[in-house]
Every structure is written in structure tokens, then in C-alpha cells.
Amino acid sequence: MNEKKIIPCIYLYNKTAVKGLKDLTLVNADPLSLAKFYASNSADALLIFDMSSSDEEHEEALDIIKSICVTVDIPVYGAGNVKRMEDIKKLLYAGCNKAALNYSKQSNIDITEEVSKKFGKDKIIASVESLDEIKSNTDLINSYCDMVLLVNPAKVHDSAAASP
């Protein structure tokens, strides 16, 4: 039986929590307090998405992620800003239980086997936006990823409805 979990996402942008990748509306100026709120209100895990653009912002985001990881008592999954194995390592060393690879980026698909073998399959998430990303990478996902994270359910619903 498939298990459903409540996993809220905190989008980190300029040291704050915003609504999403394309909506920079402020949700909370203190991402740590937001993480505590989710953890104390039945979240099964947290997804923290680093939206930083510079190396300095990325390091600041990693510090916030580390603070969240040591403070909350639920699993934390790290995502965003993954370009190479080192970025997965930084998320895991910051305390994340798992790190996500964005399967809309070929470079992330290309490092799946390498990071899974280095850190363990149980640490790797395939983040997908469409059924096509799953279909074209099924063997890789099954072999090297612990879970699949659906980041755009409307896109999957639309592509499923269009399938014959």
C-alpha cells in the first residue's frame, strides 16, 4: 500500500520564505519559525528549496537549512541549486535526510547513479514535473532513487488526460 505524507515546502529566497519558484511573495521572514510551525502541526517531513543565485546566497541558505535540520524533529529534504555531486553533499552535510535531483535538468539526471552510489539510494529523491520525466527515466529512478517528488501535479494531470 502506498503511504501518503504531508510534506510542506519552504522556498528560501534572500533568507526568507516565499510562496514559490515563480511567486516571490513573502510568506515568512523567519524560515526557521515556519519550519517549527510545520513540524509541530503534523507535517511528516519538510522540503526546503534553495532558490539562491550567488555562491554567497547559497552558503547563507545552507546555514538556514542546517538550523532547520537541527531544530525540527521531522525529516528534512533539501532541493534546489544542485549542479554537481558537491551540492548533494552540502545538503546532506547540512543535515538533510534526503536531497532532490531536478529531473527537468539533464545534468541532474546524469549524476543520479554517481550520487546514489556515493551517499546511498535512501538519500536521493527524483524531483519530477511530468509523467514523461518518470517514463523516460524509470530504470534510473528505480535503481538509484528512494522516492519521487511530484512538483507540479497540474502538469501531470494535464499530460495524463492527454494520453490515449
Side-chain angles (χ1 to χ4, degrees):
M1 182 167 116
N2 289 335
E3 181 180 338
K4 293 183 178 133
K5 294 184 177 189
I6 297 171
I7 305 174
C9 183
I10 296 175
Y11 294 94
L12 288 180
Y13 180 74
N14 288 338
K15 299 190 250 181
T16 66
V18 298
K19 280 191 177 181
L21 295 173
K22 295 181 175 138
D23 185 350
L24 302 181
T25 304
L26 182 70
V27 171
N28 194 313
D30 181 9
L32 180 59
S33 70
L34 184 58
K36 289 177 188 178
F37 171 80
Y38 286 139
S40 64
N41 284 280
S42 302
D44 295 300
L46 287 174
L47 174 65
I48 310 295
F49 196 100
D50 172 13
M51 296 173 54
S52 61
S53 54
S54 71
D55 288 341
E56 182 181 332
E57 289 173 1
H58 181 55
E59 290 304 318
E60 291 170 344
L62 286 168
D63 287 342
I64 292 169
I65 292 169
K66 182 183 258 183
S67 294
I68 290 170
C69 290
V70 299
T71 303
V72 301
D73 60 351
I74 58 175
V76 175
Y77 307 149
N81 243 329
V82 173
K83 298 172 188 86
R84 59 195 187 279
M85 185 192 309
E86 182 70 18
D87 298 319
I88 294 291
K89 177 181 169 184
K90 286 181 179 183
L91 287 169
L92 295 174
Y93 283 17
C96 293
N97 300 79
K98 298 179 188 296
L101 293 169
N102 179 350
Y103 266 53
S104 65
K105 293 181 179 179
Q106 185 60 47
S107 60
N108 277 208
I109 295 168
D110 293 343
I111 65 169
T112 300
E113 181 178 355
E114 177 185 20
V115 297
S116 180
K117 286 181 175 178
K118 173 81 174 178
F119 302 109
K121 176 181 177 174
D122 63 317
K123 300 287 185 188
I124 307 302
I125 299 170
S127 175
V128 301
E129 290 186 16
S130 72
L131 290 175
D132 291 338
E133 290 174 357
I134 297 172
K135 288 177 185 174
S136 60
N137 296 292
T138 299
D139 291 339
L140 191 64
I141 291 169
N142 286 337
S143 297
Y144 300 108
C145 298
D146 185 51
M147 63 187 277
V148 174
L149 176 67
L150 175 61
V151 294
N152 192 343
K155 214 179 216 185
V156 170
H157 175 72
D158 292 345
S159 66
S163 296

